[in-house]
Amino acid sequence: MRRPVLAVTCLLALAGCGSPAAGTARPAPTTTTTASTTSAAPTTVAPPAVTTTTPAPPPPPAKPQRVVVLDPGHNGANAANPGAINKPVPAGRGKTKPCNTTGTATNAGYAEHAFTWDVSVRVRDLLAAQGVQVVMTRPDDNGIGPCVDQRAAIGNQSGATAVVSIHADGSTDAGAHGFHVAYSAPPLNEAQGEPSMRLATTMRDTLVSNGLATSTYIGSAGLSPRADLGGLNLSERPIVLVECGNMRNATEAAAFTSPQGRQNYAAAIAAGILAYLA
Ligand code: ZN
């Protein structure tokens, strides 16, 4: 007679049947019958009132806001303003350099500044679609500069997780081709050390996995340590400079000149940044 008594007890105190004190008793069913072993028709017991409103789930933990600075090399009005862009500015390591330069071009005249601007806009849009906040060092392709020290300052003041400068090269060796990723070496601060090196190798690996070939003529395995680039020297944030390839090489010039080709470079660079942020 012990079990029926327990069952009846449970019935009288439905809410308690799931507690450890109930021993082997099962969780309270929504509908049950009396546990009498003797008589009477089963009696249906109404389940306790249950609210059907589902409470709102707690908000997910806020992700830290990721800021990436994109630095499109050169600018559209540089060539027409040599006085302004030749003005010496601090370039790090105790040196000065011209404020900025005109950049190079394909043999057909497609300018590096136009290429770097277009690719940077494409990278910006790809990153923004992933929730990354992007800061550009210039607002369009029609201005002068900014000087290399100003570009570095924009990266520093933004608190960027990563700064990526985008360029294309102009080797007179028409056979030279392939990308390389430049980084500051030896590093001048902590951000130029391990974080920048990791950004460089992650970018190199991602560009390779996106089908881009490493440089045949600069650096080693797509990486190039540099002590002479003002933008890298003055950075206090993790930074690399991507030279996408040689604008004087016919195959790469064709890719740079084509919107699809530029989208391919942008997709690879954006993937490299996202891999670093992950
Ligand atoms: Zn350049």
Side-chain angles (χ1 to χ4, degrees):
M1 291 304 290
R2 185 172 176 77
R3 283 186 75 84
V5 169
L6 176 61
V8 170
T9 306
C10 267
L11 180 67
L12 295 175
L14 277 175
C17 281
S19 71
T24 57
R26 297 189 182 92
T30 54
T31 300
T32 188
T33 59
T34 57
S36 166
T37 54
T38 54
S39 62
T43 304
T44 301
V45 176
V50 175
T51 174
T52 54
T53 353
T54 310
K63 275 189 177 175
Q65 180 62 57
R66 299 169 301 173
V67 178
V68 168
V69 170
L70 297 177
D71 176 35
H74 317 285
N75 208 337
N78 283 4
N81 294 274
I85 66 161
N86 287 330
K87 183 176 66 110
V89 297
R93 303 184 198 271
K95 306 265 176 61
T96 62
K97 286 188 86 169
C99 159
N100 211 215
T101 55
T102 59
T104 185
T106 66
N107 290 336
Y110 180 57
E112 181 189 354
H113 65 79
F115 169 76
T116 66
W117 173 250
D118 185 272
V119 170
S120 297
V121 167
R122 293 172 188 272
V123 174
R124 178 195 66 191
D125 292 348
L126 291 166
L127 294 179
Q130 298 300 316
V132 177
Q133 183 184 335
V134 178
V135 175
M136 308 279 272
T137 57
R138 55 180 168 104
D140 52 42
D141 193 34
N142 307 313
I144 306 169
C147 300
V148 290
D149 58 334
Q150 292 172 292
R151 292 176 190 248
I154 291 168
N156 296 343
Q157 288 157 12
S158 71
T161 308
V163 181
V164 176
S165 193
I166 297 173
H167 287 253
D169 204 9
S171 170
T172 50
D173 175 1
H177 65 275
F179 79 85
H180 68 273
V181 181
Y183 58 94
S184 174
L188 296 171
N189 54 46
E190 191 274 337
Q192 291 178 19
E194 188 277 337
S196 291
M197 200 63 233
R198 185 159 43 86
L199 177 57
T201 54
T202 303
M203 182 65 73
R204 185 271 315 273
D205 294 348
T206 310
L207 296 190
V208 168
S209 67
N210 275 260
L212 300 176
T214 56
S215 175
T216 59
Y217 65 106
I218 291 182
S220 171
L223 297 178
S224 176
R226 297 284 291 264
D228 62 321
L229 296 177
L232 301 185
N233 289 341
L234 297 171
S235 183
E236 296 163 3
R237 310 301 305 169
I239 186 168
V240 294
L241 185 153
V242 179
E243 287 277 10
C244 292
N246 181 13
M247 298 195 88
R248 306 283 182 183
N249 173 270
T251 304
E252 294 193 326
F256 296 159
T257 307
S258 133
Q260 184 58 54
R262 293 194 295 273
Q263 186 66 24
N264 291 344
Y265 279 96
I269 292 169
I273 294 170
L274 290 171
Y276 175 75
L277 296 179

